Amino acid sequence: MIQEHHPLVKDFPECRDKIHALKTSSAHFARLEREYEDLDKAIVRLETGIEHGSSAELEQKKVLRVTLKDELYALLKA
């Protein structure tokens, strides 16, 4: 099964303009978005076997990714 990277703009295409605006105007949003993107890429590397890690590590990363996505979405909808 091929795992795909899901940038924030792909998950929330209706927020494309706001994502760009917040990335350039809010250091907090930009930091969270970078952290989300890096984490998402790390998860894909683990799931595809490019990098190796435990199941617990993968699940911990997935939980953190969901938490970050929820926080980013709340900022987008504010």
Side-chain angles (χ1 to χ4, degrees), residues 30-43:
R31 181 186 57 78
L32 290 177
E33 192 269 342
R34 274 192 312 274
E35 189 176 338
Y36 171 83
E37 297 293 335
D38 290 346
L39 188 58
D40 187 56
K41 289 175 185 175
I43 289 168

Side-chain angles (χ1 to χ4, degrees), residues 7-24:
L8 199 58
V9 73
K10 186 174 181 179
D11 289 339
F12 304 119
E14 72 282 3
C15 298
R16 177 181 298 275
D17 293 338
K18 191 151 187 190
I19 290 168
H20 177 71
L22 285 171
K23 280 172 57 173
T24 59

Side-chain angles (χ1 to χ4, degrees), residues 62-72:
K62 286 182 175 182
V63 168
L64 181 55
R65 179 177 60 181
V66 169
T67 302
L68 284 170
K69 186 184 275 189
D70 288 347
E71 189 172 348
L72 287 161

